[in-house]
Amino acid sequence: MLDTFAHDTRNGRTTRVSVTGTGAELLRLFAQATERLVEGLSQGGDDTPVWTWSRTRNLGFVRRRQAHEVLVHRLDAELAAGAGVSAMDPQLSADGVDEVLRVMWGG
C-alpha cells in the first residue's frame, strides 16, 4: 500500500491518497499526478499567486522548486543504476545552491 499526499497549490488544500494494488495502479497514480503537475505549472505567469511552504508564494517558486527536484531525483536514479552521472546544466545547478542557501537555510 502507498500512502501519500496530494497538495493543490492553487487552493492550498491537501488530500491524502491511499493506493493498494498492483504496480500498474501505482504507475496510473503517478501518471495522473504528473498530468496535474504539468497542468498547474503551465497555468499563469511566474508571479501568479499560489500556496507554497516558502515565503515566496508564486508559481515561479514552484517551477524553480520542481526543476531542482527533477535534477536531484535524476541524479539519484543515475547513481542507483550505476550509470554514472550525466551532465548537469551549470545554471540550474548554481540556482539550486542559491535556493538552498537563501530559501532553505534562510541566509
Side-chain angles (χ1 to χ4, degrees):
M1 180 164 105
L2 170 70
D3 252 349
T4 189
F5 294 88
H7 187 81
D8 189 330
T9 59
R10 294 167 295 184
N11 61 29
R13 287 194 295 246
T14 300
T15 305
R16 184 177 186 158
V17 179
S18 295
V19 178
T20 57
T22 66
E25 290 172 286
L26 295 176
L27 288 174
R28 181 185 52 75
L29 176 65
F30 177 74
Q32 289 172 344
T34 300
E35 186 176 309
R36 284 192 310 270
L37 176 61
V38 169
E39 178 185 335
L41 291 175
S42 65
Q43 294 180 356
D46 283 347
D47 60 344
T48 300
V50 297
W51 182 92
T52 73
W53 52 263
S54 170
R55 286 179 288 192
T56 305
R57 296 203 167 150
N58 59 43
L59 191 53
F61 174 83
V62 177
R63 289 175 174 150
R64 178 186 192 198
R65 180 89 287 284
Q66 289 304 307
H68 298 148
E69 285 289 329
V70 168
L71 175 62
V72 168
H73 290 296
R74 188 201 83 198
L75 293 171
D76 284 345
E78 289 173 343
L79 291 170
V85 174
S86 58
M88 295 181 289
D89 178 87
Q91 193 171 5
L92 179 59
S93 300
D95 188 55
V97 172
D98 179 74
E99 183 190 53
V100 167
L101 295 175
R102 293 180 193 266
V103 176
M104 294 181 179
W105 290 351

